[in-house]
Structure formats: structure tokens, C-alpha cells
Amino acid sequence: MSARDRYEMVIGLEVHCELKTASKIFCSCPTAFGAEPNTQCCPVCTGMPGALPVLNRQAVAYAVKAGLATNCRIASHSRQDRKNYFYPDLPKGYQISQLDQPLCENGFLEIETEAGSKRIGITRIHIEEDAGKLVHIEGQGTLVDCNRCGVPLIEIVSEPDLRSAEEAKAYLRKLRAVLLYTGVSDCRMNEGSMRCDVNLSVRRRGVETLGTRTEMKNLNSFKAISRAIQYEARRQIELIEEGKRVVQETRRWDENKDATYAMRSKENAQDYRYFPEPDIPPLELSEEYLERLRAEQPELAEAKRARYQADWDLPVYDTEMITSQKALAGFFEEVVALGAAPKQAANWIMGEV
């Protein structure tokens, strides 16, 4: 048995997803991608003294819908907290987030891999604001673009239930499909509206104790996530086999070198000096409000596939292809409603159309 086979990975994912609101989470600045740098900011999202935030109602609704679609319990009472850290792209010197009273908790997604189905737990989904963006110009320096400051985010934190790059990809694909179906985000990884942090450790098979984990930040493609997981697991195993110690730290994936490198020691909650956000009152959601959002939830791809198979006797392959996009599934259902035979309509849509 090789050294790699003697170990198993333990992986948890933190997915940051920008919500598809027209304005930012605490001000009325637009959120459109690709605008000229520093043209979509105001005193609120750049943290000028005396500027007060107001919570975006639509951002809360989208976050609740994401929680419902991932089988989470929605809190009737939650609050915002200040997370203090000092990066050049965070002009306020803190981020408004949620610590111990998140909006959504205790959810799950079912994934399918070659090994079969598996339930992946979701610890929490909380709302927060995005930071700005650093633009590095080789030989000249680094510029700061504050347009992204204050764009509404949800952070979806999984349980450490994943054991391979394949499972991680299956989970992310399922999560992305769910978020697209609910309409809460465009999930465009190439534009940074869906990004993933990977927490990974290794341990000998049969051992229950968790190993020392590292975190790889801001991965924005399935390919990069898979390669980073495989590299980092190999790096940690080699360290352990050589009698060395894995250090808890934050690492960056270098696409060109196909390797991770250390950025900084891993922070813990106390390093951020969280405290309740004094300018935003706690968020109270009534049962009537939650029932209305439940009623607005669309039929998700998994339910559509089951219905197509049960009602129209469509093969599994056909249902997976047709439900891969919400718009495609809607088009298919309209064609069938107009009188087309379901299997014939599926053939045309998967082929010529």
C-alpha cells in the first residue's frame, strides 16, 4: 500500500456567493460587474465617518431562499457582527458579517458520485458584505478597486464530510445548481461571484482524530479546486511521512506553478475581535414572512427529474440533461404543455435544438 493510500482526506468547504441584488447590502450603490474602478462606491460602503448602513431587504430574502433550498433551519432571530481585520481592499477596517447567530443552520445536500449517494452537512449560511479588490500591476504596484465593497454575500459552510476532490466537485456542482434554480445568484465563478475556500487535513485511515488543517483561499473554478485539493493532500502526507509537522495556516493556490504556498498563519475567531454591529438592529423574521418565501420557492432540479421519470417515463440521462439549466427545463415543460410527446420533445431539445 502506498503512503497516499494509508491516509484519507477530511475536507470542509466555505463557499462565498454574491447575491443577485441590484444594490449593495448596506447602501444603494449598484452591484453591476465590470464597471470602471471606484465608480460604484459611496461613504457607506467605503466606511466614511458618520455613514450609517441600512440592511438590504432583498439580500435577506435571497439568503433565506438559499437556506430553504439547502434544507437549513431558518433563524427567526439573528444579528450582524463586526469582523475586524486590516487589508488594503477593506477600507472600513472591518467587515459586517455574522458570528454566533447566523441566519441559516443545520442543512444538507445529497450528492452523487461513482461511489454512490452521500449526504453532506451544511453547518451554516450567513450574510455578509464583500471586500474590495486588489489589482496587481507587475513592476508598478498594486491598485485598489472599491466597487465590490459592500456587495451582498452569503457564506455557505459545509461540515467536514468530504473525503476526496471528486466529492468536493460533486458538492459544489450540486450547490451551484441549487443556487441557480432559486435565482439568488448568477454563480459566475469567472467573475468571482462564486468562490470557494478549502479547509483540508489528512489522517491515517481508521483514525478518528482530525489532523492539522490548512485553508486554501478564493478558488474560483472546479478545475483549480480539484488540483489544489490533490496537491495539498500530497504535500501534507509527505510532511507527516518525513516526521515533520503540518502547520495550521492560510495558503494560496498558484495556478501557474500547480502548487500552494503559505500566505499567513490561520486566524481564529478571537483574532478578528468580533462584536455585535452597533448600527444595525437584530434581524427578526416572522413566521408569516418565512411562509411567504417558502411558497415562492421553485421546484428544484432533483424534484423535476423525479417528476419527469414518474409522469413521463423519461430516462435518467434525459432528465439530467434537460434539468441542467432552469431555463431549459422551463422550455421543455412549455413544449410538452403545447401537446408534444415528452420523449420526442426531449430528443429534439437534446439534439437539434
Side-chain angles (χ1 to χ4, degrees), residues 61-104:
Y62 279 162
V64 170
K65 288 184 175 184
L68 293 172
T70 52
N71 306 292
C72 287
R73 181 185 67 81
I74 311 302
S76 58
H77 174 93
S78 63
R79 73 168 190 223
Q80 303 293 127
D81 298 284
R82 283 194 186 181
K83 179 182 181 182
N84 297 274
Y85 60 98
F86 302 97
Y87 291 164
D89 59 356
L90 192 69
K92 289 193 292 192
Y94 63 88
Q95 176 191 39
I96 301 178
S97 181
Q98 292 185 304
L99 176 61
D100 58 346
Q101 295 184 25
L103 186 60
C104 314

Side-chain angles (χ1 to χ4, degrees), residues 20-93:
K20 200 167 63 175
T21 56
S23 58
K24 294 184 180 181
I25 191 168
F26 299 121
C27 65
S28 59
C29 290
T31 58
F33 178 80
E36 287 294 311
N38 299 308
T39 58
Q40 297 184 164
C41 13
C42 72
V44 174
C45 55
T46 54
M48 296 293 107
L52 292 174
V54 177
L55 184 59
N56 184 323
R57 183 185 298 267
Q58 186 62 60
V60 175
Y62 279 162
V64 170
K65 288 184 175 184
L68 293 172
T70 52
N71 306 292
C72 287
R73 181 185 67 81
I74 311 302
S76 58
H77 174 93
S78 63
R79 73 168 190 223
Q80 303 293 127
D81 298 284
R82 283 194 186 181
K83 179 182 181 182
N84 297 274
Y85 60 98
F86 302 97
Y87 291 164
D89 59 356
L90 192 69
K92 289 193 292 192

Side-chain angles (χ1 to χ4, degrees), residues 38 187 207 272:
N38 299 308
C187 295
V207 174
Y272 291 117

Side-chain angles (χ1 to χ4, degrees), residues 11-18 153-158 162 168-169 171-173 175 188-189 192-199 215-222 224-226 228-229 251-253:
I11 303 167
L13 301 180
E14 299 171 10
V15 177
H16 295 80
C17 199
E18 291 182 350
L153 283 176
I154 49 175
E155 181 173 344
I156 305 162
V157 183
S158 83
L162 301 157
K169 284 197 297 183
Y171 168 80
L172 288 167
R173 285 198 170 100
L175 179 61
R188 292 174 180 160
M189 299 182 81
S193 61
M194 183 176 177
R195 316 188 289 274
C196 181
D197 299 344
V198 178
N199 291 282
E215 181 181 32
M216 293 174 284
K217 298 288 287 185
N218 290 330
L219 298 160
N220 63 355
S221 76
F222 295 134
I225 290 163
S226 178
I229 286 172
R251 300 180 68 84
R252 176 78 73 182
W253 170 250

